[in-house]
Amino acid sequence: MHLRDLNGYLQELAENNNRPWFIMNKPRYDILREEFLALVTAVIGELGKFDPAVKFCNPKKAMFRINRDVRFAHDKRPYKTTFSAAVAPNDMRRPSMAGGPTYYFQLNGEGQLQFGAGEYMPPPHRLRALRRHMVEDAAGFRKVLNNKALKARYGTIQDEGKLQRPPKGFDADHEHIEFIKLKSFFVWTDVDLDLNDPDALLPLIAAGFKDAYPLVQWMRAAKVEEEEAA
């Protein structure tokens, strides 16, 4: 897609985050939105080459709306200043619905691509399942953490919102206790883009998601017990 045009549009939107400006510039938005849809479609195609679970996802359902939900927010600006998408099996991208990891990426007005994979603030039943899975498959989780490609691309799992103490029922001395304390399980990275080289965007996203695939596979194996899912 035309990265320089998108970057300029998002910068202007950040400076004029109001409905009149958005309506006046709607033709620009519509063109960029169609280009982004083509990008998301291509990303899903690349994902399907190594992750068949998302091969037939609907790109339109993967894309997030640009409108912000301001009903309960202090920040009343009506529009997001990113173009973003999330891909999960059966188009279940929302944490409360997905029951599993999601691939996510966004483009902002600062010339950056931000992308990653995992589960951000999963619902309680998924959180318990993931924590149990770290105990029951400690060796498998250790292997994921030591995966060379994943470490080189992302470092390690983000520790945003980490508990101060181990959750109830988990051994404080367990080898993975610092990860068991997490409330989200997501790897993430930011990349400064060459706005004059849009052809590099798709391969970069595809390679990044492929590097996260070992974590995605491991997380999908975390099973929710029937009484918890009810």
Side-chain angles (χ1 to χ4, degrees), residues 52 124 190 200 202 216:
D190 301 343
L202 177 60
V216 169

Side-chain angles (χ1 to χ4, degrees), residues 66-114:
I66 200 166
N67 301 77
R68 296 180 63 247
D69 184 354
V70 299
R71 290 174 298 173
F72 308 107
H74 293 295
D75 182 353
K76 297 300 183 181
R77 289 175 296 179
Y79 304 108
K80 301 171 187 174
T81 54
T82 60
F83 273 29
S84 57
V87 183
N90 302 313
D91 300 314
M92 305 290 272
R93 71 182 187 195
R94 300 182 186 277
S96 60
M97 300 166 57
T102 297
Y103 300 97
Y104 176 86
F105 74 98
Q106 68 178 36
L107 296 163
N108 65 26
E110 298 174 359
Q112 284 186 324
L113 165 68
Q114 301 166 309

Side-chain angles (χ1 to χ4, degrees), residues 54-205:
V54 298
K55 185 175 183 178
F56 299 108
C57 285
N58 185 335
K60 290 185 177 180
K61 291 184 177 181
M63 296 167 63
F64 286 95
R65 298 172 68 240
I66 200 166
N67 301 77
R68 296 180 63 247
D69 184 354
V70 299
R71 290 174 298 173
F72 308 107
H74 293 295
D75 182 353
K76 297 300 183 181
R77 289 175 296 179
Y79 304 108
K80 301 171 187 174
T81 54
T82 60
F83 273 29
S84 57
V87 183
N90 302 313
D91 300 314
M92 305 290 272
R93 71 182 187 195
R94 300 182 186 277
S96 60
M97 300 166 57
T102 297
Y103 300 97
Y104 176 86
F105 74 98
Q106 68 178 36
L107 296 163
N108 65 26
E110 298 174 359
Q112 284 186 324
L113 165 68
Q114 301 166 309
F115 63 93
E119 296 185 50
Y120 181 76
M121 297 297 288
H125 64 279
R126 278 297 298 169
L127 190 55
R128 287 191 292 270
L130 289 164
R131 287 170 172 169
R132 280 198 307 266
H133 195 37
M134 289 183 200
V135 174
E136 296 168 358
D137 185 27
F141 188 58
R142 188 187 319 120
K143 183 178 180 180
V144 169
L145 294 175
N146 291 327
N147 181 278
K148 290 183 179 180
L150 187 142
K151 286 179 69 175
R153 178 81 64 176
Y154 300 102
T156 189
I157 296 172
Q158 300 292 305
D159 62 357
E160 178 185 352
K162 186 177 180 180
L163 296 173
Q164 294 295 317
R165 298 179 180 179
K168 185 178 179 180
F170 290 89
D171 183 358
D173 294 324
H174 192 276
E175 66 172 299
H176 299 314
I177 194 59
E178 295 305 314
F179 293 98
I180 291 170
K181 291 179 184 178
L182 297 178
K183 295 181 182 179
S184 293
F185 302 90
F186 217 90
V187 290
W188 183 258
T189 191
D190 301 343
V191 178
D192 292 325
L193 296 172
D194 179 353
L195 300 181
N196 295 315
D197 186 16
D199 292 339
L201 182 59
L202 177 60
L204 178 58
I205 297 171

